Amino acid sequence: MKSNDTAKSSDLVQMAGALLAEPAVWMEKFLRITSEERQVDQEGLTQSGSPSSLQKIVPLRLNHAQQILYRRVRDCWQQKKPVRFLIPKARKQGVTTFTQALFFERLYRQDHEEAAVVAHNQESSAYIFQMTRRFYDYLPAEMQKPLRYSAKTELQYVEPHGSKYMVLTAKSGDALAKGTTPTMFHGSEVANWADGGVDPWKAWTSIASSIPDHHETSIILESTANGREQFFYRMIQGALKGDNDF
């Protein structure tokens, strides 16, 4: 009887391991995000003397839009094709959250990967970095791999793991990602990269030339609409015509 119980226990462990090998399952089990709901902070008071509120931290649960994206990503993996997505998005669909969670999972579980994120301004860069930093901070303590470096825009694990995450702004132009070789790239609100007189094509050329031409790389460019601006709109039109890799 004991041998049967042991075999069943072993089978369950193997099944659990197989499930956690699926990135989406791992993301939902271990990653935490902020909720639009707020919770009462009993230790803090507003000026009127009533309790203040805090953002609620909740487990990541992929919504419908995120599940569609995940299936598309998985299709690329199964076909051994690089992930190359242009995503014209509506607000509040969780595209940025999904992309950051996807990249974090791979950075955490694979050695010597690099992820670069380019946002259109400093405020957005800080917001995106905080999302990823929260993923790390809310991991179970025993899962928090030691960090070699952590700043306002960069996070790197110590060797021999060595994977690295960085957030940049489009204003860096043709200096973006110089000296790096990202295997994952997320361009956020790319229709607004031209804000402040930046040439988005120079920024894109700089980052694109640094990404290896390999089926395990990912490039995800997303944005809300900004009219027929010079970069994102033209990239989408090019993709529809088959003129680029997206």
Side-chain angles (χ1 to χ4, degrees):
M1 187 70 177
K2 284 186 177 181
S3 60
N4 288 338
D5 290 343
T6 301
K8 288 180 181 179
S9 177
S10 178
D11 289 343
L12 287 173
V13 169
Q14 289 180 357
M15 289 173 60
L19 279 173
L20 285 177
E22 181 68 38
V25 175
W26 190 94
M27 287 154 53
E28 290 194 335
K29 180 172 178 59
F30 294 116
L31 301 187
R32 300 293 182 266
I33 61 173
T34 56
S35 169
E36 292 186 358
E37 298 178 16
R38 300 185 73 84
Q39 60 186 9
V40 174
D41 177 14
Q42 298 292 351
E43 297 182 0
L45 299 176
T46 64
Q47 289 183 346
S48 64
S50 58
S52 60
S53 62
L54 299 170
Q55 278 192 309
K56 192 174 182 179
I57 305 297
V58 298
L60 172 66
R61 293 291 180 265
L62 298 184
N63 62 30
H64 182 63
Q66 292 168 333
Q67 290 172 14
I68 292 172
L69 283 174
Y70 184 71
R71 288 196 293 269
R72 295 292 299 274
V73 169
R74 225 179 174 293
D75 286 344
C76 291
W77 292 341
Q78 290 177 338
Q79 297 173 44
K80 295 191 179 301
K81 294 169 57 178
V83 174
R84 298 291 185 267
F85 290 174
L86 292 171
I87 307 175
K89 66 177 187 179
R91 296 188 183 278
K92 300 296 184 181
Q93 289 188 324
V95 173
T96 295
T97 300
F98 168 78
T99 305
Q100 293 306 296
L102 188 74
F103 286 8
F104 182 87
E105 185 272 343
R106 183 166 171 182
L107 287 171
Y108 181 86
R109 301 175 84 173
Q110 301 289 333
D111 295 344
H112 299 108
E113 298 278 358
E114 288 191 19
V117 182
V118 173
H120 67 294
N121 60 31
Q122 195 64 46
E123 182 181 0
S124 293
S125 295
Y127 174 80
I128 292 172
F129 180 79
Q130 279 302 115
M131 189 183 301
T132 294
R133 180 69 210 203
R134 187 178 299 112
F135 291 156
Y136 178 85
D137 288 342
Y138 279 86
L139 287 174
E142 66 275 12
M143 290 179 60
Q144 292 183 352
K145 297 180 180 180
L147 297 175
R148 174 186 174 190
Y149 186 74
S150 178
K152 292 182 179 179
T153 59
E154 191 172 325
L155 185 151
Q156 184 173 7
Y157 295 103
V158 300
E159 296 291 351
H161 183 46
S163 289
K164 180 179 179 180
Y165 170 87
M166 64 196 116
V167 182
L168 312 163
T169 58
K171 69 179 182 180
S172 300
D174 58 5
L176 273 175
K178 283 191 174 179
T180 65
T181 310
T183 50
M184 295 168 281
F185 176 71
H186 173 198
S188 178
E189 292 296 348
V190 296
N192 296 297
W193 277 8
D195 290 358
V198 174
D199 184 343
W201 287 103
K202 286 185 178 180
W204 168 242
T205 300
S206 176
I207 195 75
S209 64
S210 68
I211 300 171
D213 184 16
H214 191 273
H215 73 270
E216 292 187 350
T217 60
S218 300
I219 301 176
I220 298 176
L221 305 181
E222 47 83 357
S223 189
T224 49
N226 189 22
R228 297 188 177 188
E229 42 73 47
Q230 61 177 307
F231 179 63
F232 192 54
Y233 175 79
R234 287 173 59 184
M235 288 285 283
I236 290 175
Q237 294 304 308
L240 292 172
K241 296 175 183 177
D243 293 339
N244 58 41
D245 294 332
F246 290 88

